[in-house]
Amino acid sequence: MALAILALTCMAALAGAGLMLLARLCPRDDKSLSAQIDALLPQTQCAQCGFPGCAPYAAAIAANETDINRCPPGGNATVIALAALLGTPARAIAADVPVPVAPQIAFIDEAACIGCTLCLAPCPVDAIVGAQRMMHTVLIDNCTGCELCVEPCPVDCIIMVPAPARVNLW
Amino acid sequence: MVNASALPQGIAVPSVPALRHIDKRFIPAELWFAIAPAERIEMTPGQQIAEGTRLSLAGQPIYAPVTAVVMRLETDKVVLKPLQTQVEAPLTTPTFAPLAERDKDAIISRVRAAGITGMGGAGFPAWRKLAALPHGPMPLLLINAVECEPGCGADAVLLEFEPDAVAHGMDVLADALQATQVVLACKRSALDAATTVTRLSSGQRARTVVMDDRYPAGDERVLCKQLGHSLTLKQRPVERGVIVFNVATVAAIGAAVCRGMVPTFRRITVHGPGVATPSVVEVMLGTPAAEVLAALGVSDYSAGVAVGGAMMSQPLNLREAAIGQSTTALYVPARHAQRARAACINCGRCDPVCPQALAVARLYELIEAARPLEAVAALDVQGCTGCGCCDAICPSGIPLAATLRDARTAVLEQRASAVSAAIAKARSDSHVQRERQREAQRVSRLRQRGDSHGRTKDKVDAMLRAARQRRNAANDGSSHDA
C-alpha cells in the first residue's frame, strides 16, 4: 500500500517536473495566432481598420483588443473566415470603417505629376516608383488599392481606378 | 436544338445540312476597332489611313484591312470608313517581306508583329503560346479543324479554299517546332479537303485524322485523348508533348511567314434557329456584327446574338461588337430559347456526358449548398471547359455549365488573390523593416551630432526634461485660461 502511494506520488512528481521543464523550454507561442489571423487578411495594408497594416490588426485581434469586423477590403468573407478560426460569431462589417468597394488600384496622371515624391513613403508595398522632379508611376501588379497615396499628393494627380482582372480565363 | 443522346462523354450531334458559302469578301460601311486612346497611332477625323497601316501602338498589333478614312474617335474605339467597295485580295501589298529564316525565334517575332491571336475562340496571342513552349523537338503538332460546335463550318471552307495557306502554316510550324508528327484533325465532311492539305504540305510527317460527329470532338483535351495522349485534369497538352493550334491560326501564321501578310479577314459561320440560310462568309476584321447580320438578311434577333453556337455561346452587345480574330461564329437563337428550369432530380445523367469526367451532379449540389470553395475545388471544378454537354442532357433545364463556370472563376480568383496577398505581405514586411532601419539611423545620427557638440546623453536628457516641463507648464496655463 505504502509502496503504491510512494510510486504514484513519484510518478506524479516526475510528470509535473517534466511538464514544468517543457513549459520553460517552449514559451507560449502568441505569435502563431496572430500569424494565422494575418494569413486570413487580404494584405491590402490599407489601414482602414485603424491599425497601420494587416499584421498590426492581426496582432490586435489576437490580443482581443479589437473586433474581427473592421476589414473593408476583406468584406464578409474575411469576417466569416476569422470567426471560424477564432470560434466567435460572425458579424456585419463595423459601421465606423469605410464601405467596401470593388478592387481598385491607384493611377497617376503622369502629365500632372510634379515629381514631389510625397506619395512614395506612404505606399505600404513600395508600389510607386519615381524620383525628385521625375514623374512617378504605379506598379499595377503590386498596388493593393489602399488609397494611402491619394491624400498626400499635393496636385491630386492620383486617382483610384478599377483593378484589372486578375484571372485570365484562357 | 441538339439531339442529346446519353452516350458516355460528350453528346452525338446530328449532321447539319451544308452551309451556304458566300464567295465574296464583304466590305462593311464602318469598321470598329477597340483600341484605347493611349494605344492609338496619331489620327484625326477625316484623315486617310492606307491599308496595312498599324493602328495600335501597344498590345496586340491591329492593322487597317483596307484603305479607309477616320470617321470618329471614341473613348473605347476607332471608327473607320472603308474607301473601297470591293476587294480582290486580303491586302494588295504585304505588310512584311517573306521570312527567310525558319527558326523558332524568327517565327515567334513575326507572329507577334503580325498580331495573330488564336482563332478558335479564346483569342490567346499565338506568339505567347509559341514562346512558352519548352526547348527541343515537339512530339506532336496537332492542327484543329474540328469545329465541333453543331452547325459551324468555317474551318471546312478554309480547308477547301485556302489549302496552300494551311499547308504553308503546317510546314512552318512543323519546322520551327521540330515536330516529329503533324496531325490535321477534321470532321468527316472535310476529309477530302484536309487530305489535299496534308498532300500539299512538304513534310512526309503530316496525316489527317477524322473525328466522330460528336460534341465536343474539337476540344483540345478530347482531341489529345483521341490521339492516345490522355491528359489528367491538371495537365495541359504541352505537358504530354502536344501543341494544338486552330487551323485558321495556322493559315494566318503561314500567310504571315511565307507571304508577309497580316490577318485582315476571317471566315465566320452565321447560324442558329434565327437564321434562314446558315452561311459561311469571309468578313473583314473590325466589321460590326450587326452589319454582317444585316448583309445576310437576318433582321429578327430579338432573342439576342451570341458568339459561338448552341452549346457554347457568349452573348454579344450588337451596339459595340465587331468581328475580331477570335470570333468564330455568330449565333442567332430562336425567339423563346429560354428553357423552363426545374429542380435537380438527381438523375445523374450529367456525369457520364462530361468530356472531362467531372462529377457534375455532386459539384452542382456543393455549389448550390454554398459549400466552401475548397470543397468545390477538390472536385476539380477548374477542369470544366464550359462545353455545355451537361446543359444539353439535363431534363430539368438547369444551367449547369454556367454554374460550374462561375464556381471555376471564383476558385481561380481566390487562388490569384492568395498569391497577390502573399506578395503584398512580403513587400509590406520589407517596407516596415526599412522604415524601422531608417528611423534607427536617424536617431543614432542625431545622437552623434549631439555628442559632437559636446553634449553628453545626460545633458541631452536633462534638456529634454526641461523642455517637456516648459511645454506642460504652458499647456496648463492655456487650459487655465480657457
Side-chain angles (χ1 to χ4, degrees), chain B residues 258-340:
Chain B
C258 301
R259 293 191 290 128
M261 306 294 268
V262 294
T264 50
F265 278 86
R266 78 152 293 151
R267 283 189 177 78
I268 62 168
T269 314
V270 182
H271 66 134
V275 182
T277 325
S279 316
V280 174
V281 60
E282 195 172 4
V283 188
M284 195 176 276
L285 299 182
T287 304
E291 277 203 51
V292 180
L293 294 173
L296 291 173
V298 182
S299 52
D300 178 17
Y301 30 81
S302 48
V305 176
V307 171
M311 301 301 292
M312 283 177 93
S313 61
Q314 282 186 315
L316 208 59
N317 180 354
L318 282 181
R319 292 219 186 107
E320 289 168 9
I323 305 300
Q325 281 185 62
S326 55
T327 316
T328 50
L330 294 180
Y331 179 73
V332 186
R335 251 190 167 174
H336 302 291
Q338 209 72 32
R339 288 165 73 191

Side-chain angles (χ1 to χ4, degrees), chain B residues 128-163:
Chain B
R128 279 170 65 178
K129 195 171 190 172
L130 285 168
L133 288 179
H135 290 287
M138 216 52 204
L140 175 59
L141 167 65
L142 179 50
I143 291 152
N144 186 355
V146 194
E147 255 182 313
C148 58
E149 181 73 63
C152 284
D155 285 353
V157 174
L158 174 76
L159 286 174
E160 197 177 331
F161 286 85
E162 284 183 48

